[in-house]
Amino acid sequence: MLEHIYEFEKQYLSPYACHSQNTKGRQFETTKSELRTEFQRDRDRIIHSKAFRRLKHKTQVFLSPKGDHYRTRLTHTLEVMQVARTIARALKLNEDLTEAISLGHDLGHTPFGHSGENVLNKLNPNGFEHNKHSLRVVEFLENDGEGLNLTFEVKDGILHHKKSGKPSTLEGKIVSYADRIAYMNHDIEDAILGGILTEKDIPKYITDILGDSKAKRINTLVNDLVSNSYNKNFVAYSPEIDKMADELRDFMFKSVYFNPKAKIEEQKANKMIEFLYDYYMKNIDKLPSFYIGLIDKWGEDNAVTDYIASMTDTFAVKAFEDLFVPNCWNI
């Protein structure tokens, strides 16, 4: 069965694609699957992980929004995967590798989105970046400390998915672009839903080039990326679209990500993270046994950070209430 897949990749995929048969492999050798390539197995391991399931209760942009239609970190991940696979297929790159990286790229995100990430980055002497923590999750924390034992290419793509990253595969580069395409456009939609802005607030010089709706913008960005990168050993926008994509990103930071209305609950969330971190650093024995077991190797700061970063929004709120909010007294 696998021989058919390998042969298909040889005949169909771009010479710049990462072929499944040519993976650099895993840290620990495992029995090969008779039906799935190594990248397909990575995809499945990620989907079945606890960290992946927790994404459904982690903030994308809006903290604790009222309504069923706002994005979470899980729906963001699925939208990134969909955009990335479309690009990979059009460029004849490896869709399975692209999908696995997409599904794993945000596994290390904290509760309360980038707000929680920024707080942990300040509190932990070693700093904190969600892409590096995503790698830590799949290497050391998942599966009761055994990790997921993913292939080099998937871990590399997860680590380097930020704009500043330099993934070793074009599939990893695709995910980096798809991440930005997805979050800029779905965050606009969520901001409109939340009354933060309207479509007309986006500068006309941007919408004239990229489009005046989510669907049009995604179509413009994806088509440009494909046409500018087809049959080449790089993935990049054309200069004009690259400039407009940066302009749209700058607009989003000014109008949404730093908007006081959008971030009205952020200070409360930040305080909760600070209180939890301080409490567990002073009461290290109150950590769950798994995280206590990490202290000898990684230190107390990292063990506490690992625990807090693993929390969903709802779990973090409940932990804070249990520790700092008095219960009603019953006689």
Side-chain angles (χ1 to χ4, degrees):
M1 182 69 176
L2 282 180
E3 292 304 319
H4 294 297
I5 297 177
Y6 295 150
E7 187 59 32
F8 170 80
E9 290 184 354
K10 288 179 183 178
Q11 293 183 8
Y12 176 77
L13 293 186
S14 161
Y16 306 112
C18 182
H19 291 216
S20 303
Q21 196 171 20
N22 297 332
T23 175
K24 293 181 181 179
R26 309 177 187 280
Q27 183 178 2
F28 306 107
E29 287 297 322
T30 59
T31 304
K32 304 293 183 182
S33 170
E34 296 180 1
L35 300 177
R36 296 171 297 159
T37 70
E38 295 305 296
F39 299 145
Q40 290 170 341
R41 295 176 73 194
D42 282 358
R43 172 202 61 202
D44 297 347
R45 291 180 182 198
I46 291 168
I47 288 175
H48 289 288
S49 69
K50 291 179 181 177
F52 184 78
R53 294 196 293 275
R54 288 196 297 266
L55 295 177
K56 67 180 178 179
H57 293 303
K58 292 197 176 191
T59 289
Q60 172 58 24
V61 172
F62 296 94
L63 273 63
S64 303
K66 293 182 179 179
D68 297 329
H69 300 133
Y70 290 91
R71 269 73 174 189
T72 65
R73 191 60 58 178
L74 178 60
T75 58
H76 160 72
T77 294
L78 296 177
E79 291 186 45
V80 171
M81 183 267 292
Q82 177 268 324
V83 172
R85 286 203 66 152
T86 296
I87 297 168
R89 183 174 300 174
L91 293 177
K92 294 188 176 182
L93 298 177
N94 194 310
E95 289 185 55
D96 294 326
L97 173 56
T98 304
E99 182 178 28
I101 297 170
S102 299
L103 293 172
H105 83 282
D106 269 355
L107 290 180
H109 244 298
T110 62
F112 313 120
H114 288 288
S115 175
E117 177 180 13
N118 292 336
V119 174
L120 287 181
N121 185 47
K122 294 176 182 177
L123 294 174
N124 190 316
N126 301 303
F128 183 93
E129 295 178 64
H130 79 272
N131 58 311
K132 293 180 180 179
H133 195 70
S134 294
L135 181 64
R136 181 167 169 78
V137 168
V138 300
E139 283 192 324
F140 304 115
L141 299 179
E142 260 299 317
N143 200 20
D144 298 323
E146 295 184 7
L148 299 180
N149 194 26
L150 304 181
T151 57
F152 166 84
E153 292 81 6
V154 172
K155 292 193 297 182
D156 174 81
I158 289 172
L159 178 62
H160 293 286
H161 78 267
K162 293 170 69 174
K163 185 178 181 182
S164 59
K166 296 181 180 179
S168 64
T169 65
L170 295 187
E171 288 82 0
K173 196 66 177 176
I174 285 174
V175 175
S176 178
Y177 274 98
D179 186 27
R180 280 170 275 149
I181 291 172
Y183 78 65
M184 281 194 300
N185 286 287
H186 66 47
D187 290 352
I188 289 173
E189 191 169 62
D190 280 2
I192 292 172
L193 181 63
I196 303 299
L197 54 78
T198 68
E199 186 68 48
K200 293 182 179 180
D201 291 329
I202 304 172
K204 190 172 184 299
Y205 74 91
I206 296 177
T207 58
D208 283 348
I209 301 297
L210 297 184
D212 58 1
S213 71
K214 181 187 72 170
K216 290 177 182 178
R217 282 188 292 273
I218 292 176
N219 187 63
T220 298
L221 293 167
V222 168
N223 282 346
D224 181 83
L225 196 66
V226 169
S227 62
N228 196 59
S229 309
Y230 189 78
N231 220 19
K232 297 175 182 175
N233 65 347
F234 63 81
V235 174
Y237 292 130
S238 65
E240 180 185 33
I241 297 301
D242 189 47
K243 184 177 186 299
M244 286 301 105
D246 283 344
E247 292 282 351
L248 180 60
R249 188 171 181 270
D250 290 344
F251 166 78
M252 288 297 292
F253 270 92
K254 294 174 184 176
S255 302
V256 177
Y257 304 136
F258 295 150
N259 186 306
K261 185 178 179 182
K263 296 298 184 180
I264 194 167
E265 298 297 307
E266 196 169 277
Q267 289 186 349
K268 297 178 185 177
N270 291 348
K271 284 296 182 184
M272 277 198 294
I273 298 291
E274 291 173 3
F275 275 117
L276 290 172
Y277 188 92
D278 182 65
Y279 173 82
Y280 286 113
M281 287 299 297
K282 292 177 179 176
N283 301 273
I284 204 73
D285 60 307
K286 300 298 184 182
L287 285 174
S289 59
F290 171 74
Y291 294 95
I292 291 177
L294 300 177
I295 293 173
D296 286 344
K297 185 175 182 180
W298 304 107
E300 293 183 354
D301 280 296
N302 287 330
V304 170
T305 297
D306 287 339
Y307 181 46
I308 294 176
S310 75
M311 295 179 178
T312 62
D313 295 12
T314 50
F315 188 94
V317 171
K318 181 65 165 56
F320 178 85
E321 290 177 344
D322 289 345
L323 292 171
F324 300 109
V325 178
N327 293 318
C328 294
W329 183 61
N330 292 315
I331 297 177

